[in-house]
Amino acid sequence: MSKISMILWGAIAVLAAVAFGFVTGVFNPEEKVNALWLVVAAACFYALAIRFYGRFLSTRVVVLDDRRITPAHRLRDDHNFQPTNRWILFGHHFAAIAGAGPLLGPVLAAQFGFLPGFLWIVIGAVVAGSVQDFVILVASMRRNGRSLPQIANDEIGPITGVATTVAVLFIVVVALAGLGLAVVNALYHNPWGTFTLAMTIPIALYMGFHLQKFRPGRVGEVSIIGVALLFLAVIGGQWVAGTPLGAAFDFERNTLVWLLAGYGFLASVLPIWMLLVPRDYLSTFMKVGVVCLLGAGVILMAPTIEMPRMTGFIHGGGPVIPGMLFPFVFITIACGAISGFHSLVSSGTTPKMISCESHATIGYGAMLMESFVGVMALVAASILIPGDYLAINTKLGPEALAALGYPVSQIQTLSELVGVEVAGRPGGAVSLAVGMASIFSSLPGMKALMAYWYQFALLFEALFILTTIDAGTRISRYLVQEMGANFYPPLRDINWIPGVLAASFLVVFSWGYLISTGSIATIWPMFGAANQLLGTLALCVGTTVLIKMGKAKYIWITALPMLFVGTVTLSGSWQLLWRFLDQAGKAASAAEAFPLYLNAGLVASIVVLAIVILTDSAMKWYGYLVLNRPYTSTEVVPDLAPSPTDLKY
């Protein structure tokens, strides 16, 4: 490293330390924090992480080598395996992993104050979330794109393999329900938002055919077309909502649930190039662009954080998320710091499209980008008056909130500005959209456009959610076919049409049912717990993979976060289990009790499976590392290309 580089990185490290000092209250503890310091602290920390820790992982731990032939080339079928431009692949991967979690989890966790959530989002992403995503992506890529359960079965054993498959399927269904619930709560009786979101489907289909059939390889051209059409859809949404045609996009909650399920089914069965990849790529423009714009707005306007560093709800009894700060802030944050769902994308669609090994670093970088999204979501929620934040995210009236010590201040004004009644819309999506619209509308010349910014923010959130739902449903379909193949071998062919249709229907019906019978207070904590448990299992598998790569001296990079996340999540799951059972016992009817018992059964099943997997893995590690037992690896013997420059993509 040159002297100039050392000075530059040293300056970034000092700036990060100063920013963290203001955020944590080491400097000026009695004053409210400027949101600018949160953005600076996070950005500097991410830059340091990707330059030093990320490079250490790619060059010293897994040792990426562009001479290896990736499965995208070796197994190319242009349906599931296909070499993909690295930026389009980054767009797909980021869009697939960045669902509602980094947006809504931090918003809901703001109930405890902004500081605990901020620290976990930033630090957890660097040492846990990004590590999990990257290690599993490399492990899958070097095993012909095998799924996480397949890797667990091959590298640890059949007990862990079967347990992981069942656990993953349960967890994904719960995760998709949690993600889908947020978009349904935001879009029911909102024809403007529903129309705009619906238009992204034909736009994506056109982009897919344009890139694959009409003008192959013209990435820049199709990008301009797609973004232009997307903005026209946002602007046209208001016009449609004000005409008789708007009634066609004004849906009840349950109708939206099953329309959402229909979209998930469609994305699961169509070829990957036709809808899923172009839609994810299109969404990434919106996601990255809006996050950067939001960051710029915070830097320019420097809004004050109104939420205290910690609230009185850290001891439990909060109206948004019940439970104490530990462990529920970690469970509620979910994807913003570490997400087990990411391991399914990293061992699902993405490893089948990597053109050369060095592109696998998107696994580390995309998680840091998602973490930054979480920081911006936390900022957007925390600039609201605490009473207004609670009025949006609960069904409590102004008197009840005032009795809790958080009086409502500007909720009616906010509703008038955005053109929608925002009080009593729990789930985080609406409060986030209001916060984002407040930041954007504070920019010069933008004050009169707050209603547009609000709908734009809702579209932004919904795009995050749907790009995870389409990838998640497809990955779940792979898992169902994998499991079903043990009983009916034709299901092993992931392109066999009857199997594709049946497995996709089973998946979307399952998560659609959970949405239709649940609420944010039941589904989101269950989603968070299940998601974090899957993250624990992915880190467990990653630890085994490192041992079998001959990198046992580096297992601390996966084992330490695994122990922390596992302890937190098992503790939270235990509390959730008894809460569901208690609520079911107090239910007025059997119909009301059944979904709660079902939730309790899902949580209990996942916990038992996690314990089985961790125990089986620990026994294997003891045998390998202490007893020096021999082991085999299913990593594909590398086929070396003549030169990495020969790769087209």
Side-chain angles (χ1 to χ4, degrees):
M1 184 183 294
S2 67
K3 289 184 178 180
I4 295 177
S5 294
M6 291 177 65
I7 293 172
L8 175 63
W9 287 110
I12 292 174
V14 170
L15 181 58
V18 171
F20 273 104
F22 280 105
V23 172
T24 58
V26 173
F27 306 136
N28 300 331
E30 301 303 320
E31 295 183 8
K32 290 183 177 180
V33 180
N34 192 299
L36 177 62
W37 287 117
L38 277 75
V39 174
V40 171
C44 290
F45 197 67
Y46 297 146
L48 292 166
I50 201 164
R51 169 59 181 82
F52 295 101
Y53 198 42
R55 181 171 293 186
F56 164 73
L57 293 174
S58 61
T59 60
R60 299 284 297 278
V61 180
V62 301
V63 192
L64 298 178
D65 185 353
D66 277 349
R67 293 177 302 166
R68 290 174 177 252
I69 302 297
T70 63
H73 290 282
R74 188 170 53 250
L75 304 175
R76 181 169 185 168
D77 61 9
D78 290 333
H79 194 90
N80 293 291
F81 291 87
Q82 183 179 38
T84 304
N85 176 279
R86 74 182 302 175
W87 297 113
I88 290 181
L89 185 57
F90 177 86
H92 160 71
H93 184 80
F94 175 68
I97 67 171
L103 292 175
L104 306 185
V107 172
L108 298 174
Q111 168 194 271
F112 299 110
F114 74 85
L115 183 58
F118 174 77
L119 293 177
W120 177 235
I121 290 169
V122 174
I123 298 172
V126 169
V127 302
S130 293
V131 170
Q132 172 211 256
D133 293 11
F134 177 64
V135 171
I136 295 300
L137 178 57
V138 172
S140 178
M141 178 182 64
R142 290 179 175 174
R143 288 165 175 79
N144 286 335
R146 289 177 185 152
S147 68
L148 181 69
Q150 285 179 309
I151 297 172
N153 181 80
D154 296 340
E155 302 296 345
I156 302 176
I159 295 176
T160 289
V162 172
T164 302
T165 301
V166 177
V168 164
L169 194 55
F170 281 174
I171 289 167
V172 174
V173 168
V174 172
L176 294 177
L179 299 175
L181 180 65
V183 72
V184 168
N185 282 347
L187 291 181
Y188 75 91
H189 292 314
N190 182 356
W192 183 352
T194 303
F195 168 82
T196 303
L197 186 63
M199 289 302 101
T200 64
I201 298 174
I203 293 172
L205 286 169
Y206 172 77
M207 290 176 66
F209 278 95
H210 187 103
L211 198 59
Q212 189 75 15
K213 304 293 184 182
F214 306 153
R215 293 174 67 81
R218 303 297 182 92
V219 176
E221 180 178 285
V222 80
S223 301
I224 294 172
I225 294 172
V227 172
L229 291 174
L230 184 62
F231 276 99
L232 286 176
V234 175
I235 296 170
Q238 187 191 35
W239 176 82
V240 169
T243 68
L245 184 60
F249 295 92
D250 190 352
F251 297 112
E252 296 290 342
R253 185 178 181 277
N254 282 340
T255 304
L256 272 175
V257 169
W258 297 113
L259 286 174
L260 192 63
Y263 167 73
F265 179 85
L266 190 66
S268 177
V269 302
L270 290 177
I272 200 167
W273 60 264
M274 190 179 294
L275 178 60
L276 190 146
V277 169
R279 195 180 185 289
D280 289 355
Y281 180 60
L282 175 66
S283 300
T284 297
F285 277 101
M286 171 73 83
K287 293 176 179 182
V288 175
V290 171
V291 170
C292 291
L293 184 61
L294 195 58
V298 170
I299 291 172
L300 290 174
M301 306 311 298
T304 300
I305 298 293
E306 297 294 339
M307 189 71 69
R309 287 186 174 88
M310 287 190 284
T311 69
F313 301 128
I314 60 173
H315 303 296
V320 178
I321 295 292
M324 296 185 294
L325 176 71
F326 182 91
F328 281 96
V329 71
F330 303 98
I331 291 173
T332 305
I333 291 292
C335 307
I338 178 173
S339 169
F341 182 82
H342 295 187
S343 68
L344 304 183
V345 179
S346 293
S347 62
T349 51
T350 303
K352 298 177 176 64
M353 296 187 285
I354 292 179
S355 183
C356 54
E357 278 210 344
S358 61
H359 295 179
T361 53
I362 67 173
Y364 193 85
M367 179 61 222
L368 295 183
M369 175 64 77
E370 175 168 350
S371 179
F372 188 67
V373 171
V375 170
M376 298 313 302
L378 182 65
V379 168
S382 299
I383 65 171
L384 298 175
I385 302 296
D388 295 339
Y389 160 85
L390 292 173
I392 297 173
N393 284 294
T394 71
K395 296 290 186 178
L396 298 178
E399 297 80 7
L401 292 174
L404 290 173
Y406 298 97
V408 176
S409 176
Q410 302 174 5
I411 197 68
Q412 284 305 120
T413 302
L414 290 172
S415 297
E416 292 169 5
L417 287 172
V418 302
V420 176
E421 179 58 51
V422 298
R425 285 183 176 250
V430 172
S431 58
L432 173 59
V434 171
M436 290 173 63
S438 299
I439 293 173
F440 290 144
S441 63
S442 65
L443 294 171
M446 295 291 179
K447 188 172 183 179
L449 300 177
M450 188 161 175
Y452 277 96
W453 283 121
Y454 174 77
Q455 294 294 342
F456 186 78
L458 283 182
L459 173 64
F460 166 72
E461 297 174 44
L463 284 175
F464 264 80
I465 295 166
L466 289 196
T467 49
T468 302
I469 284 177
D470 54 29
T473 302
R474 194 179 192 93
I475 292 166
S476 301
R477 187 257 288 180
Y478 293 159
L479 294 172
V480 170
Q481 289 187 255
E482 233 175 71
M483 291 177 63
N486 295 320
F487 307 97
Y488 190 62
L491 287 171
R492 196 175 304 278
D493 179 4
I494 59 175
N495 295 323
W496 184 52
I497 297 300
V500 169
L501 297 176
S504 299
F505 176 80
L506 180 62
V507 171
V508 298
F509 177 80
S510 298
W511 58 255
Y513 173 78
L514 283 178
I515 297 177
S516 65
T517 58
S519 68
I520 198 69
T522 59
I523 290 181
W524 193 267
M526 186 168 63
F527 155 67
N531 197 33
Q532 302 301 282
L533 276 177
L534 180 54
T536 304
L537 302 186
L539 289 167
C540 174
V541 172
T543 301
T544 305
V545 167
L546 290 180
I547 292 172
K548 293 193 172 185
M549 287 174 60
K551 302 289 185 177
K553 64 181 179 180
Y554 294 127
I555 62 170
W556 53 269
I557 70 170
T558 51
L560 291 181
M562 178 197 73
L563 290 173
F564 178 77
V565 176
T567 300
V568 166
T569 314
L570 288 173
S571 173
S573 298
W574 179 256
Q575 294 182 40
L576 277 177
L577 172 63
W578 289 106
R579 179 173 299 144
F580 285 140
L581 291 175
D582 180 63
Q583 291 175 345
K586 296 177 181 177
S589 66
E592 291 181 15
F594 177 75
L596 294 168
Y597 281 124
L598 177 62
N599 293 346
L602 286 172
V603 172
S605 300
I606 294 168
V607 168
V608 170
L609 291 167
I611 292 173
V612 169
I613 294 165
L614 292 171
T615 302
D616 188 36
S617 299
M619 292 171 63
K620 296 290 172 57
W621 301 338
Y622 181 79
Y624 300 149
L625 300 177
V626 178
L627 302 180
N628 293 319
R629 289 175 179 165
Y631 54 78
T632 58
S633 173
T634 59
E635 183 174 317
V636 175
V637 176
D639 298 319
L640 299 182
S643 167
T645 58
D646 292 339
L647 295 173
K648 180 180 178 180
Y649 295 88

